[in-house]
Amino acid sequence: MIPYFPQPEYHLFGPVTVHAFGAIVALSVIVGWRMAVARSRTKGLDPELFQDLLLYMVLSGFVVAHLYSVLAYFPREAMEDPLLLLKIWENISSFGGFAGGILGLWLFFRFKARDVDAAARLRYLDVIAYVFPFAWAIGRMACTVAHDHPGTVTTFPLGISLKSPGAQAYIASFYLEAGRLAELPPPAELAKMAFHDLGWYEFLYMSCLMVPAFLVLDRKPRPPAFFLIAFPLLYVPARFFLDFLRIGDARYFGLTPGQYAGIAVSLAAVFLMVRIARWKAKE
């Protein structure tokens, strides 16, 4: 089992403390941004226009990721304290980020780059989709060091060990918040177990499967929107399964908001695939 350790942090001065999560997320944005701009040049796209598009998508993505997380996963807390909606540095959702990115995309092409045709827009989006697993893997490492997506207790070898009292107290706090504390075994037995760390599992999935797969698929020319369709079709099934391991997420008819969002994203990818096939048939 993987040893448990608290999230690393570095105290700068006064109330300012740099947490590993924030630093690694910033790194993921920087790496993804630089890779995407570099790829846009190799694909013959306008790098300045592309950077403007990235800015719209990143800013909108972070804002909507927070709003979606609070409203979908913590509706009761939001009603009790509406100011939670303004704390955009807390509680972010990956699928909320996807929705926010799409909103930023729509705003950009609706108001700033209206003259870019549909085919070119797909090429811009495909660059982002190709780079996304690389940046996402780094971002999920941030979730791993923060252990901010803990799942149920387990004996799975890749789980995070509950041998230490700190690890036991950490997972117990999530079970308590979910009203499931009685489900935990006694401390002596719990010390031999682990908990599923969903951020860690996604990091492994991205770095060991999706990143290598995208590198291999990129060895020969692909049609526009190829990676835009490939990403959700490869990512969503794994995420859908992992969500069943969550401890206290809000559930609606047995599924989490993330699972419903995953279904919507997959259907959108299939719809886009059909539309592109029809466009090619008319050519």
Side-chain angles (χ1 to χ4, degrees), residues 7-8 10 17-30 138 142 145:
Q7 176 182 188
Y10 182 75
T17 300
V18 177
H19 294 88
F21 176 85
I24 299 174
V25 167
L27 176 64
S28 73
V29 173
I30 293 171
I138 299 173
V145 300

Side-chain angles (χ1 to χ4, degrees), residues 214-222 227:
F214 271 39
L215 288 172
V216 171
L217 291 170
D218 195 44
R219 289 180 179 177
K220 65 179 183 179
R222 299 292 178 179
F227 291 103

Side-chain angles (χ1 to χ4, degrees), residues 24 28 31 131-144 199-200 202-212 231 235:
I24 299 174
S28 73
V31 170
V131 170
F132 208 87
F134 299 85
W136 196 251
I138 299 173
R140 281 313 190 192
M141 177 50 68
C143 298
T144 299
W200 165 238
E202 277 202 37
F203 166 77
L204 292 177
Y205 183 73
M206 284 288 164
S207 59
C208 298
L209 192 149
M210 287 197 64
V211 166
F231 177 80
Y235 171 71

Side-chain angles (χ1 to χ4, degrees), residues 38-234:
R39 186 173 176 85
S40 71
R41 291 193 176 97
T42 64
K43 296 298 180 181
L45 302 175
D46 182 346
E48 293 186 3
L49 182 69
F50 188 70
Q51 292 196 72
D52 288 343
L53 171 60
L54 286 176
L55 183 62
Y56 271 70
M57 295 184 71
V58 169
L59 292 179
S60 179
F62 272 107
V63 172
V64 177
H66 170 69
L67 296 178
Y68 180 88
S69 176
V70 172
L71 295 175
Y73 289 94
F74 310 102
R76 183 181 305 172
E77 291 84 345
M79 292 181 64
E80 295 173 353
D81 182 13
L83 291 179
L84 286 176
L85 296 172
L86 302 180
K87 298 179 180 180
I88 62 173
W89 58 90
E90 297 180 358
N91 300 319
I92 58 176
S93 161
S94 55
F95 281 112
F98 295 161
I102 293 173
L103 174 61
L105 167 76
W106 179 83
L107 291 172
F108 179 79
F109 286 122
R110 178 67 177 82
F111 298 104
K112 187 174 178 64
R114 302 181 64 175
D115 57 334
V116 179
D117 61 39
R121 294 179 184 185
L122 286 178
R123 293 174 61 203
Y124 280 102
L125 282 177
D126 207 48
V127 168
I128 296 172
Y130 174 79
V131 170
F132 208 87
F134 299 85
W136 196 251
I138 299 173
R140 281 313 190 192
M141 177 50 68
C143 298
T144 299
V145 300
H147 304 297
D148 60 354
H149 299 297
T152 53
V153 295
T154 180
T155 56
F156 184 50
L158 291 179
I160 305 300
S161 173
L162 288 167
K163 183 177 181 179
S164 70
Q168 293 184 33
Y170 184 77
I171 199 65
S173 67
F174 284 90
Y175 269 84
L176 176 63
E177 185 178 355
R180 300 174 57 182
L181 189 60
E183 297 179 18
L184 286 179
E189 183 179 345
L190 190 63
K192 301 176 184 178
M193 302 179 70
F195 68 87
H196 293 297
D197 189 320
L198 307 187
W200 165 238
Y201 293 167
E202 277 202 37
F203 166 77
L204 292 177
Y205 183 73
M206 284 288 164
S207 59
C208 298
L209 192 149
M210 287 197 64
V211 166
F214 271 39
L215 288 172
V216 171
L217 291 170
D218 195 44
R219 289 180 179 177
K220 65 179 183 179
R222 299 292 178 179
F226 176 86
F227 291 103
L228 183 61
I229 294 171
F231 177 80
L233 294 184
L234 288 174

